[in-house]
Amino acid sequence: MKKRCIIFSLVFCLTMLLSLPLLADGVTNTTSGLTASTETMSEIFEKLRIERANLVGGQTEVMTQANEAKIRVEAILNQSIAENKALTFEQLESLKKDLATIKSAQDILNTVLTDIRTTTTEVGEYMPIKEYLYKLINLYSEKALQLYDVADTLKDVAVNA
Amino acid sequence: MLTKTSRLFRTASFLSLLTLLVFGLLGCGAEDQKKAQTGDSMMQTSEGLVLEGSGPFPATLLARSNNTLSNEENQLVLQEISMELDKIIDLAGQLEVIDEKSIDEKSQAVADETGEEVSQ
């Protein structure tokens, strides 16, 4: 019985230790399930096209939402000028939160830009090899999600002010 | 034999506990890092919210003001927020994505080499 316990404990320790690298990496993105190497190049290129379109969609969404937020801010500004009335306590509190949101959005965008630039400049011209294409697909997929998240946060800017 | 087994058992239990402790600490570390990342751009002071790296307007002005800004200051804050949103549009516009035409060309080139059918 004791022997079994010891073996079980050792196996448990070993499993936990082996899974440490996964934890350290924060479990890297496996959303696209891009581990299969049986895919044809044509299928991989198709995935790249989809993720590229997704990324461009995210980019457009960020720009659209930032523009709409800008319109809302300018409406408040115009109203403030027209009525010559100071902003209320609630409006100012809301603007503080909006500023934090905007600053955070800028930080995320800077990271997205840097990550994409770094990866694409690692190889001068992108190579039609599976590993590199998978890397690009994962990168585009991950960054598109971040862009959509940024766009979502911008929807709340200047809504309550 | 019994003593040896017991010692082994104790060692194994100790190792298990140690591993769990390491995981616990790593978990806490990851959580702290996440918090640090999200809270990086802002901090709460006695004056209110101050954004790091911001100029005199609008964040510090908002924080200093204790929410009693003049109309002109209000307008400056709003103008500055609008400019910050412009920066977001500008940053998003700088995104470099591989040209779709280039993907088509590479895809076609590979298809020609391997005899695969190209789906576009």
Side-chain angles (χ1 to χ4, degrees):
Chain A
M1 181 64 188
K2 275 185 181 174
K3 265 187 184 173
R4 276 187 195 166
C5 274
I6 293 162
I7 291 167
F8 175 77
S9 302
L10 287 173
V11 169
F12 174 74
C13 284
L14 203 65
T15 317
M16 295 288 253
L17 286 171
L18 286 175
S19 62
L20 262 177
L22 271 180
L23 188 75
D25 289 348
V27 187
T28 45
N29 185 14
T30 52
T31 47
S32 312
L34 297 168
T35 47
S37 58
T38 51
E39 284 175 304
T40 63
M41 286 300 276
S42 175
E43 286 167 340
I44 300 170
F45 273 116
E46 188 52 31
K47 275 189 177 172
L48 180 61
R49 273 193 204 96
I50 293 168
E51 292 306 336
R52 181 199 173 277
N54 201 16
L55 185 72
V56 173
Q59 176 194 27
T60 312
E61 188 63 12
V62 168
M63 290 166 105
T64 308
Q65 291 307 328
N67 252 321
E68 287 188 6
K70 217 181 141 203
I71 292 168
R72 289 193 292 272
V73 169
E74 278 164 11
I76 299 167
L77 177 64
N78 290 336
Q79 196 186 1
S80 166
I81 294 168
E83 294 174 5
N84 201 23
K85 206 169 79 180
L87 295 175
T88 62
F89 173 82
E90 286 77 19
Q91 282 177 312
L92 287 168
E93 281 299 312
S94 180
L95 285 178
K96 280 184 190 177
K97 283 181 191 151
D98 291 342
L99 273 168
T101 306
I102 292 169
K103 200 76 194 163
S104 163
Q106 287 173 353
D107 289 345
I108 296 169
L109 282 175
N110 270 318
T111 314
V112 169
L113 289 179
T114 312
D115 289 351
I116 289 180
R117 262 184 212 146
T118 311
T119 308
T120 47
T121 51
E122 269 172 16
V123 180
E125 190 186 0
Y126 85 94
M127 296 291 147
I129 50 171
K130 283 186 177 181
E131 290 73 19
Y132 186 64
L133 292 175
Y134 280 139
K135 197 175 179 182
L136 270 185
I137 293 166
N138 270 330
L139 179 79
Y140 282 3
S141 162
E142 185 190 328
K143 299 302 160 190
L145 280 176
Q146 288 183 356
L147 289 181
Y148 279 111
D149 282 346
V150 166
D152 261 355
T153 59
L154 291 175
K155 282 179 187 170
D156 297 329
V157 169
V159 168
N160 301 317
Chain B
M1 178 65 189
L2 191 69
T3 322
K4 201 178 174 186
T5 315
S6 168
R7 207 175 284 167
L8 262 172
F9 180 70
R10 265 189 232 156
T11 314
S13 309
F14 174 73
L15 271 173
S16 302
L17 282 172
L18 196 70
T19 317
L20 281 173
L21 186 73
V22 168
F23 267 80
L25 286 173
L26 275 173
C28 289
E31 195 67 28
D32 286 348
Q33 204 179 352
K34 218 181 257 181
K35 272 182 193 168
Q37 275 172 358
T38 49
D40 225 11
S41 58
M42 59 176 163
M43 55 183 181
Q44 206 74 33
T45 69
S46 55
E47 288 183 315
L49 186 76
V50 180
L51 295 183
E52 282 174 10
S54 301
F57 297 107
T60 35
L61 178 63
L62 271 174
R64 257 205 326 261
S65 66
N66 281 331
N67 299 327
T68 50
L69 297 182
S70 69
N71 283 356
E72 290 74 24
E73 285 172 328
N74 277 336
Q75 284 157 20
L76 276 171
V77 167
L78 288 163
Q79 278 166 5
E80 199 75 21
I81 291 176
S82 181
M83 280 161 66
E84 293 296 327
L85 285 165
D86 276 336
K87 277 188 206 168
I88 288 184
I89 297 167
D90 182 49
L91 278 172
Q94 288 176 35
L95 193 74
E96 289 163 14
V97 186
I98 288 176
D99 189 18
E100 201 166 9
K101 207 176 153 191
S102 168
I103 298 177
D104 291 343
E105 283 169 7
K106 296 276 181 192
S107 173
Q108 190 59 55
V110 170
D112 290 344
E113 266 179 39
T114 59
E116 278 180 24
E117 204 175 301
V118 184
S119 56
Q120 284 184 20

